[in-house]
Amino acid sequence: MKKIFGILLVSLTLFVSCDDEVLEPFTPGSLTEDVAIQNSTDLSRLVNSSMNILTNRTEYAFSSIFTDEAAPGFNNGGQGINGDYVFLMNVSNASAEAIWNTQYFGLARINRVIGFADGIVPVSPADTQLIERSKAEALVLRALAHMKVLSYFSTNPKDDAALAGVLADRVILATETPQRVTNAEFYTLIHSDLDAAIAIFNANTAPAYANKTYYPSKVLAQALKARAYALKGDYVKAEAAADLVITTSGITLANTQATYNAVFHTHNEPANTEVIFRLRRTVQQNAQATNLHNGWASVANRRNGSPFYEVSRSLYNKLAATPEDYRLSTTVHLTGTSPSLIDPDYATSNDVRNSDIIVLHKHGGQSAATATNGFNPDFMVSRLSEMYFIKAEARVQAADLVGAGLALKSVLDARFPTAQAAPVFASAQAAWKGILDERRKELSFEGFRFIDLKRLGTLAGASLERDPSEYASSAWNFPAGNPANLPMNSFKFALPIPQSELNANSGIQQNPGY
């Protein structure tokens, strides 16, 4: 943390401006922070800089590869084969380090927004509203970052006494060596920040954004409260927050193949459809090392686009079991240029690596490519479907299995061309498993699966579901045996505090097992 929070504002290079389509440079150079940030425009740009820092694909790729969403692709040249895919997790793990550092680098910037907001002198009443809105946005982002730290690094997010991470509720000096605090302290700050942001948004009269899904909002704050309560297992409050988003946000589920595709492939879905918040990317930021689709393919979302990870066979089988489900063709590249190669006899194939190639299509569709100024997919952070899943979880917790099925039906009706029967569950465990399966199909490759298994796997009597073809074939040569599964009680569902943090802050407490 000493290393992270010692990075000053002067290190900033590029970030997205408040103008939706423009990437503006903001390089304070040798200016001190109090000189560099003097007005509402500077503050707004600092918010956008914070969002740019938080746009790190590691979380999305890691969650899919470490679990059962992705499987090694036929063009895999070793990416992840000796690490995340075989559950190798230690203090030097690059994914754990990137997830930790991304949140805390972002928080270092976010806390400066919150701190500067109260010191900037507005030039007009309208300017006051802009300053306040930036502060509210930063409070929501601070809650989001803390929630991610808690989700990945706490051994048990439901236990108030378990350790989360370092509480970054202010700018932390380079000379400090802060320690981890409890989940309870994290949850207190998360809800305090979200409540404060909601209060500001309720009173704010700043002009509406042209595309509100690019910016933290009141609806996002409400959705994050639902997510945080569900993570904690406080389902009475989780359901109330989710219902508030469902009934008052004005956002509706995408209910056609075209509109659902548009959410992920073009980002031009109709207004108020599906998306609550996305981290915006521009064509100028399209670089192989950082854009989203290149987390799984070297070039493009096509069979000839060098996919080094593909959609797992087990996930494909779940989607293909109901081929009219819109999520199948949104997630998997099935038609058009260089589509997937689906082998009906994959289980007995002598060369499954090359006969069964299931290409990921979700992020950017066919437009996403590494080429300069090619389409650069946004990072989905919050969608309305998640609120229905949280409601379903709350219904199970309340022993209302019929209500859980009806909550899932709301999503299913939007994902099929005809109305669907509500799922019927014989037990609470079956209901938890049904919810976990629907979350897997709906939220795949969006960074949820690792956390979902961590918090729901035991309740559902479930674990990772990797198909034997993904690891037992002679086409693969995994180190130290076949990576078939990871027990739900594995210490690896709490990531290690990274070595880089330990080097700078030797007193920080490590998680068990590392």
Side-chain angles (χ1 to χ4, degrees), residues 253-274:
L253 294 167
N255 60 6
T256 68
Q257 183 73 71
T259 54
Y260 193 66
N261 283 351
V263 169
F264 298 100
H265 295 172
T266 61
H267 306 326
N268 63 356
E269 74 279 354
N272 300 317
T273 300
E274 192 70 43

Side-chain angles (χ1 to χ4, degrees), residues 8-21:
L8 300 177
L9 183 64
V10 296
S11 67
L12 180 59
T13 54
L14 297 175
F15 59 89
V16 182
S17 77
C18 280
D19 190 347
D20 292 347
E21 301 298 333

Side-chain angles (χ1 to χ4, degrees), residues 118-156:
D118 294 333
I120 294 175
V121 179
V123 298
S124 68
D127 198 46
T128 298
Q129 298 302 307
L130 294 175
I131 294 168
E132 285 294 297
R133 182 173 66 184
S134 290
K135 181 178 180 179
E137 292 169 348
L139 287 166
V140 176
L141 293 174
R142 187 164 75 177
L144 174 64
H146 277 102
M147 202 182 313
K148 288 191 176 184
V149 171
L150 190 157
S151 298
Y152 281 101
F153 294 93
S154 173
T155 56
N156 181 5

Side-chain angles (χ1 to χ4, degrees), residues 192-331:
S192 174
D193 281 350
L194 294 174
D195 288 341
I198 290 168
I200 293 172
F201 284 127
N202 281 338
N204 197 258
T205 59
Y209 290 115
N211 190 323
K212 61 187 179 183
T213 68
Y214 296 161
Y215 303 92
S217 64
K218 175 183 173 180
V219 176
L220 177 61
Q222 293 168 334
L224 291 181
K225 286 185 73 69
R227 185 185 292 180
Y229 283 130
L231 185 65
K232 174 67 170 65
D234 186 346
Y235 278 113
V236 173
K237 292 178 180 177
E239 184 173 22
D243 278 339
L244 191 63
V245 175
I246 291 168
T247 59
T248 69
S249 68
I251 300 172
T252 58
L253 294 167
N255 60 6
T256 68
Q257 183 73 71
T259 54
Y260 193 66
N261 283 351
V263 169
F264 298 100
H265 295 172
T266 61
H267 306 326
N268 63 356
E269 74 279 354
N272 300 317
T273 300
E274 192 70 43
V275 182
I276 295 172
F277 178 64
R278 53 169 42 109
L279 286 165
R280 173 69 169 151
R281 304 300 282 167
T282 68
V283 294
Q284 292 91 341
Q285 294 168 312
N286 189 34
Q288 188 178 41
T290 57
N291 60 23
L292 187 52
H293 59 282
N294 284 144
W296 300 272
S298 294
V299 180
N301 297 333
R302 300 175 183 179
R303 195 170 75 249
N304 65 359
S306 191
F308 51 86
Y309 273 93
E310 301 166 10
V311 177
S312 72
R313 235 310 162 168
S314 61
L315 175 55
Y316 173 79
N317 286 347
K318 283 188 178 295
L319 292 168
T322 50
E324 66 273 23
D325 188 335
Y326 300 149
R327 295 172 295 193
L328 173 60
S329 62
T330 300
T331 305

Side-chain angles (χ1 to χ4, degrees), residues 256-460:
T256 68
Q257 183 73 71
T259 54
Y260 193 66
N261 283 351
V263 169
F264 298 100
H265 295 172
T266 61
H267 306 326
N268 63 356
E269 74 279 354
N272 300 317
T273 300
E274 192 70 43
V275 182
I276 295 172
F277 178 64
R278 53 169 42 109
L279 286 165
R280 173 69 169 151
R281 304 300 282 167
T282 68
V283 294
Q284 292 91 341
Q285 294 168 312
N286 189 34
Q288 188 178 41
T290 57
N291 60 23
L292 187 52
H293 59 282
N294 284 144
W296 300 272
S298 294
V299 180
N301 297 333
R302 300 175 183 179
R303 195 170 75 249
N304 65 359
S306 191
F308 51 86
Y309 273 93
E310 301 166 10
V311 177
S312 72
R313 235 310 162 168
S314 61
L315 175 55
Y316 173 79
N317 286 347
K318 283 188 178 295
L319 292 168
T322 50
E324 66 273 23
D325 188 335
Y326 300 149
R327 295 172 295 193
L328 173 60
S329 62
T330 300
T331 305
V332 181
H333 178 33
L334 293 173
T335 61
T337 303
S338 193
S340 298
L341 188 62
I342 307 299
D343 183 357
D345 300 316
Y346 76 94
T348 56
S349 172
N350 292 324
D351 188 18
V352 69
R353 176 171 182 162
N354 294 296
S355 70
D356 196 51
I357 302 171
I358 309 174
V359 181
L360 180 63
H361 199 220
K362 192 167 195 178
H363 297 298
Q366 291 300 282
S367 299
T370 305
T372 302
N373 291 339
F375 184 73
N376 192 7
D378 297 339
F379 289 50
M380 292 295 162
V381 175
S382 179
R383 295 194 287 117
L384 185 64
S385 55
E386 182 192 359
M387 299 299 103
Y388 286 98
F389 294 138
I390 290 173
K391 183 174 179 63
E393 293 175 31
R395 289 296 84 214
V396 179
Q397 186 67 23
D400 177 12
L401 302 187
V402 172
L406 290 173
L408 294 181
K409 174 177 165 60
S410 296
V411 177
L412 294 173
D413 284 349
R415 301 298 182 247
F416 287 79
T418 58
Q420 300 295 293
V424 177
F425 303 112
S427 66
Q429 185 180 84
W432 288 117
K433 181 61 164 65
I435 293 167
L436 190 59
D437 285 347
E438 285 303 320
R439 288 184 67 98
R440 185 185 182 194
K441 290 187 284 187
E442 176 70 25
L443 302 172
S444 63
F445 298 92
E446 295 179 56
F448 285 92
R449 183 65 171 169
F450 179 86
I451 304 302
D452 284 352
L453 284 167
K454 178 177 181 175
R455 65 188 188 85
L456 300 179
T458 300
L459 290 170

